[in-house]
Amino acid sequence: GAGVSQSPRYKVAKRGQDVALRCDPISGHVSLFWYQQALGQGPEFLTYFQNEAQLDKSGLPSDRFFAERPEGSVSTLKIQRTQQEDSAVYLCASSLAGTGYSNQPQHFGDGTRLSIL
Amino acid sequence: LAKTTQPISMDSYEGQEVNITCSHNNIATNDYITWYQQFPSQGPRFIIQGYKTKVTNEVASLFIPADRKSSTLSLPRVSLSDTAVYYCLVGEDNAGNMLTFGGGTRLMVKP
């Protein structure tokens, strides 16, 4: 079956521009996560949705970062006024069930590589 | 969240068994141990998860001693395609929980 799909795979933007990254989770998956992965490091949590509700956004590095999942399926991560330190791979993951459900591994997309010039 | 420590890198040869050990001295009672694999330019992929003793699936085995302060991921007869970064994670087995990744172990399989 189809996995988690992210687009675009690569994005180059000039410093100060706004960007939008899209995530299509596995159909029916309740939970959706965004992670940021710097070169040579492990992914770091940004934000979590259960259906359309954003339950945790503690990992968002600044108020320039905004995420939404209005209909509980597709999610968009938006970064405003991009800075060079925003350059990273942005990963989206989804899992079948939400809080309180066990033994549901997170399935990752292949990420969007963002480069800020 | 329990901190994990694992080797930065390991080398092996095709056909050998590879064991990657992860230390998690502060693991909590409700925590599970999960391993992910990541190839270049791809997202992490779930390999195996366990709570205690031994878990085996078609890809790997996970050995967890009684004190649960460490765990060992065992990959039988590795091939070149097993070259990847392997992450050990510790946390509640809860679909609504974020994953906390460390630096991982870079496994290089040589011919």
Side-chain angles (χ1 to χ4, degrees), chain A residues 9 31 33 35 37 40-43 45 48 95 97 99-106 108-110, chain B residues 32 36 38 41-46 49 87 93-104 106:
Chain A
R9 288 281 282 128
S31 293
F33 300 79
Y35 294 85
Q37 185 170 26
Q41 298 183 22
F45 169 78
Y48 163 61
S95 64
T99 303
Y101 288 83
S102 64
N103 199 25
Q104 297 290 345
Q106 293 183 25
F108 284 80
D110 288 335
Chain B
Y32 281 70
Y36 276 78
Q38 187 175 26
S41 300
Q42 295 186 24
R45 182 173 72 99
F46 172 85
Q49 182 183 70
Y87 294 98
D93 179 28
N94 183 316
N97 281 338
M98 66 178 184
L99 298 177
T100 301
F101 290 82
R106 295 181 179 278

Side-chain angles (χ1 to χ4, degrees), chain B residues 12-26:
Chain B
S12 183
Y13 291 92
E14 282 189 291
Q16 289 187 334
E17 177 183 79
V18 171
N19 296 308
I20 306 175
T21 297
C22 179
S23 297
H24 28 80
N25 291 320
N26 297 322

Side-chain angles (χ1 to χ4, degrees), chain A residues 69-89:
Chain A
R69 194 186 184 196
E71 298 180 357
S73 56
V74 172
S75 177
T76 303
L77 176 67
K78 298 179 180 179
I79 309 174
Q80 298 176 323
R81 305 180 302 282
T82 53
Q83 303 295 316
Q84 283 194 321
E85 61 263 28
D86 299 335
S87 295
V89 175

Side-chain angles (χ1 to χ4, degrees), chain A residues 37-43, chain B residues 6-10 18 20 34-47 73 75 80-89 101-109:
Chain A
Q37 185 170 26
L39 188 63
Q41 298 183 22
Chain B
Q6 53 184 122
I8 294 174
S9 64
M10 293 180 68
V18 171
I20 306 175
T34 309
W35 286 80
Y36 276 78
Q37 173 192 55
Q38 187 175 26
F39 298 113
S41 300
Q42 295 186 24
R45 182 173 72 99
F46 172 85
I47 301 176
L73 174 72
L75 304 173
L80 296 177
S81 62
D82 292 317
T83 294
V85 178
Y86 293 82
Y87 294 98
C88 166
L89 293 83
F101 290 82
T105 297
R106 295 181 179 278
L107 173 65
M108 173 69 74
V109 179

Side-chain angles (χ1 to χ4, degrees), chain A residues 4 8 25 41 44 46 51 54-57 60 70 77 85 87 105 108:
Chain A
V4 176
Q41 298 183 22
E44 293 189 355
L46 292 176
N51 295 308
Q54 189 175 20
L55 299 187
D56 188 349
K57 53 182 180 180
L60 296 177
L77 176 67
E85 61 263 28
S87 295
F108 284 80

